[in-house]
Amino acid sequence: MTEQVRFQLPQEELPTHWYNIAADLPPMAPAINAKTGIPITPEDMMRTTAPALVEQEFSKEREIAIPEEVRQIYAQWRPTPMFRARRLERELNTPARIYYKYEGDAPTGSFKPNSSVPQVFYNKQAGRSMVVADTGAGQWGAAIAFAASLFDMKAKVFQVRVSAEQKPHRKTMMETFGSECIPSPSTETAPGRATLAEFPDHPGSLAVAKSEALQIVFDDPDAGYTRGSAANHVCLHQTVIGQEAKRQLELLGDYPDIVIGCAGGGSNLAGLAFPFLGEKLAGGRDVQLLAVEPSACPTLTRGRIAYDHSDSGGMTPLQRMHTLGNGFVPPPVHAGGLRAHSIAPLISWVVELGYMQAVAESQKRAFEAGVLFLRAEGVLAAPEATHAIRAAVDEAVRCRETGEEKTILFGLTGHGNFDLGAYQRFAAGTLPDDSVSEESLAVGLASIPETPGVQS
Ligand SMILES: *Cc1c(COP(=O)(O)O)cnc(C)c1O
């Protein structure tokens, strides 16, 4: 009999709700207004963010209904398929079962529209005419451009300069959707100009791009800020991934021993892992959760848990999270979507509580796994996703040594069709050194603000 390798859910199984893990965790430290030292309120956030998103950010409701308009758009690509990587298993000669949840068939090629669609929907609902975004590799920018075109909204995207140069196609994609894409740091905003005055060759960072995007929103009441990752509501939207994965494995009579995701801002990992963690917290099966970050930007493995800003200009509230410091500038690795100095407070919190572990991988080891995966499975993974593949392969090899028949699930967050330049450099042996110097780590950590009256 032909082995089953692709598991597709019927359309009726598209989730009706997002799962909010805040309902099941001890309360997190509040975000703090940096000027007053007082916890921020929903009203403080309303200026930049659509009210429905603010409500979700603070919500403790376990289930939040997905608007029908959003579900209808999700239905174009969701439920996404789950694959069993049988040829990879044989290649590795492992007794482990390896599954991956594939998000690369979404419009624009990654999981990001799971959140860009509701964010633009709620901004439209709130009467705003433009959405503003910051983006690393361009995946969030492309996802916002897609959603903006669906809802007839204008979109302005600040893209980290080094990524815009590595991947010019994403800029073209945003522009083809009808959006504006500006390499950051730019001369268009005060924080961009300030950065360029100090560092004319600044390669850009998510932190700087975020300051630029926020400046636009502060100056224009018709503009709404959107977040590609990290925020509670983004983690919330992404839980469609894990809910579907759970149902797919349930129908297969299987359950993961370990769930693996790459970690930049943390949203795809939250989306895949939190529904499983929620089940464990409700007395269900134990499950190991693993975050894989680039060793060039080792937020969880070498950062500090402290109150910090998620932008470089200090415009965002202070949040308690793992951080390398808002002034940390990661080396320009190809996994641009993972170059974030801080991580989702929710991910940070579950790591601190001991529900999740983290490892850091070099770009070279990640690409090695990406090539192995391509040759076994025929799927070209985004450089970010190769970090998750690396950890899944390592786990499967450990199972070969111990004989354990573990079930491994990892998130394949997007395709790498625009990243062939990076694969080419890997093949040619010309990937730049991605080791991070002690000095730049020290500079970053020193940029974590002192927070009077706040225990970090
Ligand atoms: C944005 C992105 C990531 C990382 O973002 P998280 O918020 O950490 O999930 C990973 N993979 C791809 C393909 C991306 O576009």
Side-chain angles (χ1 to χ4, degrees):
M1 215 186 75
T2 313
E3 289 174 330
Q4 212 184 341
V5 292
R6 181 189 171 100
F7 307 101
Q8 188 64 61
L9 288 173
Q11 186 108 23
E12 308 84 76
E13 299 263 9
L14 185 63
T16 54
H17 291 73
W18 292 302
Y19 166 61
N20 181 14
I21 197 158
D24 294 318
L25 290 175
M28 290 199 292
I32 304 265
N33 180 317
K35 288 199 190 80
T36 62
I38 296 171
I40 62 156
T41 63
E43 290 66 39
D44 295 334
M45 256 187 93
M46 296 283 186
R47 175 63 194 83
T48 55
T49 309
L53 297 168
V54 175
E55 202 178 302
Q56 292 171 4
E57 189 65 18
F58 286 85
S59 173
K60 294 278 186 297
E61 291 289 314
R62 182 169 290 112
E63 294 196 324
I64 295 176
I66 305 173
E68 197 41 49
E69 294 90 331
V70 171
R71 281 189 88 227
Q72 187 58 52
I73 295 166
Y74 279 174
Q76 184 190 339
W77 70 93
R78 306 209 72 85
T80 59
M82 159 97 81
F83 290 90
R84 171 104 181 252
R86 296 223 186 227
R87 289 192 301 269
L88 179 66
E89 290 170 15
R90 279 197 284 275
E91 178 78 26
L92 297 172
N93 193 21
T94 177
R97 288 182 297 283
I98 306 175
Y99 296 93
Y100 60 95
K101 180 75 167 154
Y102 187 56
E103 295 287 311
D105 283 340
T108 73
S110 84
F111 68 100
K112 296 234 174 35
N114 297 335
S115 190
S116 72
V117 170
Q119 288 192 53
V120 176
F121 167 78
Y122 289 125
N123 270 284
K124 173 99 178 176
Q125 197 184 49
R128 301 196 188 199
S129 60
M130 176 163 86
V131 283
V132 184
D134 43 84
T135 191
Q139 293 275 24
W140 178 244
I144 278 294
F146 159 62
S149 80
L150 288 174
F151 292 107
D152 259 329
M153 297 270 280
K154 280 189 287 185
K156 194 190 267 280
V157 179
F158 289 90
Q159 181 172 14
V160 173
R161 178 180 306 281
V162 56
S163 295
E165 284 162 5
Q166 282 170 353
K167 288 161 214 196
H169 295 326
R170 285 245 166 66
K171 181 170 191 287
T172 306
M173 192 193 232
M174 289 177 233
E175 289 166 351
T176 308
F177 273 119
S179 297
E180 198 184 342
C181 174
I182 304 152
S184 163
S186 78
T187 52
E188 189 147 325
T189 69
R193 287 190 294 270
T195 305
L196 287 173
E198 202 177 340
F199 310 102
D201 298 327
H202 199 292
S205 69
L206 278 167
V208 174
K210 194 179 294 272
S211 289
E212 294 212 79
L214 277 166
Q215 188 64 54
I216 298 287
V217 174
F218 285 132
D219 292 345
D220 179 356
D222 287 331
Y225 183 57
T226 63
R227 289 169 180 82
S229 188
N232 301 344
H233 63 272
V234 183
C235 295
L236 173 82
H237 299 155
Q238 295 298 350
T239 60
V240 289
I241 303 172
Q243 290 183 68
E244 288 175 10
K246 218 164 120 221
R247 179 71 178 137
Q248 282 161 318
L249 286 176
E250 182 186 339
L251 292 173
L252 286 163
D254 213 336
Y255 201 83
D257 296 295
I258 178 167
V259 176
I260 300 169
C262 59
S267 69
N268 87 84
L269 175 58
L272 180 64
F274 285 176
F276 291 100
L277 178 55
E279 180 145 326
K280 167 170 154 169
L281 294 171
R285 277 187 58 167
D286 195 17
V287 59
Q288 188 190 346
L289 309 177
L290 186 66
V292 193
E293 57 187 13
S295 43
C297 192
T299 312
L300 288 166
T301 51
R302 303 194 64 187
R304 197 179 284 160
I305 299 174
Y307 269 96
D308 197 5
H309 300 284
S310 54
D311 68 313
S312 65
M315 292 183 196
T316 52
L318 291 165
Q319 285 184 289
R320 190 172 181 278
M321 58 198 169
H322 286 75
T323 178
L324 291 164
N326 63 72
F328 176 70
V329 181
V333 287
H334 281 283
L338 305 183
R339 291 176 76 241
H341 71 273
S342 61
I343 191 118
L346 275 169
I347 290 282
S348 185
W349 189 219
V350 302
V351 168
E352 196 179 349
L353 291 168
Y355 295 126
M356 182 182 282
Q357 286 82 46
V359 290
E361 289 294 349
S362 72
Q363 132 166 297
K364 184 155 167 286
R365 287 196 85 237
F367 272 111
E368 268 163 18
V371 170
L372 175 72
F373 188 75
L374 173 73
R375 291 181 185 169
E377 296 293 315
V379 179
L380 183 74
E384 290 86 354
T386 61
H387 291 73
I389 298 174
R390 175 77 259 169
V393 166
D394 288 350
E395 184 67 27
V397 168
R398 257 192 300 280
C399 288
R400 176 175 73 206
E401 281 150 17
T402 61
E404 283 175 287
E405 293 176 23
K406 280 193 182 174
T407 299
I408 300 169
L409 169 64
F410 73 89
L412 213 175
T413 49
H415 69 64
N417 295 359
F418 291 162
D419 304 285
L420 282 164
Y423 277 89
Q424 188 200 357
R425 292 170 86 180
F426 169 70
T430 57
L431 274 184
D433 177 20
D434 65 343
S435 61
V436 59
S437 70
E438 294 304 318
E439 191 196 339
S440 74
L441 281 174
V443 168
L445 291 173
S447 71
I448 299 173
E450 300 246 348
T451 313
V454 169
Q455 206 70 41
S456 26

